[in-house]
Amino acid sequence: MAQERGAEAAEAARIGLTAAAVELLRLLRAQHGPLMFHQSGGCCDGSAPMCYPAGEFRTGSSDVLLARLAVEGVPEAVGFWMSADQFARWRHTHLTVDVVPGRGSGFSLEAPEGVRFLIRSRLFTEEERAALGE
């Protein structure tokens, strides 16, 4: 069973979404049904968040559920998973999912749209770290 660290800290979210990401998630949900993200932390496109139909990417004990993202206009939460090794390096950062022009080379659902998801990050504030129990 995968780990679910950080998903319950409402005061300090680990993940946010830009307006462009929300709009794209609505489109992808209409086309593909319920969604999920996974970020492996590999090199190149492996370090980008990949969007899949929910359950298509198999998660396990080497993955951490960072959040169940509420997306306006999407009826169910979008799970955001990260490999545990990557989470160990990024646990002190707030991540924002954004969208930029261009195609990634992975299997992420947005590729045919001519855009790709991208992570923007910043360090947590002292208050956020305290709320997350860091």
Side-chain angles (χ1 to χ4, degrees):
M1 181 163 140
Q3 302 168 38
E4 296 190 18
R5 287 182 246 153
E8 64 283 342
E11 308 84 31
R14 288 196 177 274
I15 308 246
L17 299 166
T18 64
V22 168
E23 183 178 330
L24 182 55
L25 286 169
R26 282 189 207 122
L27 173 72
L28 294 175
R29 170 56 174 87
Q31 293 174 349
H32 302 282
L35 304 169
M36 68 177 288
F37 278 106
H38 187 272
Q39 185 164 343
S40 69
C43 71
C44 308
D45 280 341
S47 60
M50 299 288 171
C51 185
Y52 302 100
E56 185 173 300
F57 185 94
R58 212 167 158 186
T59 58
S61 62
S62 63
D63 297 299
V64 177
L65 177 62
L66 297 185
R68 293 189 191 279
L69 301 167
V71 180
E72 187 177 337
V74 173
E76 62 282 316
V78 177
F80 192 104
W81 298 85
M82 182 179 281
S83 70
D85 290 345
Q86 182 74 357
F87 178 70
R89 290 186 285 278
W90 284 23
R91 73 178 306 128
H92 303 297
T93 59
H94 177 273
L95 307 175
T96 302
V97 179
D98 199 359
V99 177
V100 294
R103 283 187 55 143
S105 63
F107 297 104
S108 196
L109 292 175
E110 79 281 3
E113 305 300 323
V115 296
R116 62 188 177 93
F117 286 109
L118 165 81
I119 289 291
R120 300 188 189 280
S121 64
R122 66 167 172 79
L123 291 175
F124 282 127
T125 64
E126 292 296 322
E127 294 80 17
E128 288 170 319
R129 287 191 7 225
L132 289 166
E134 297 284 323

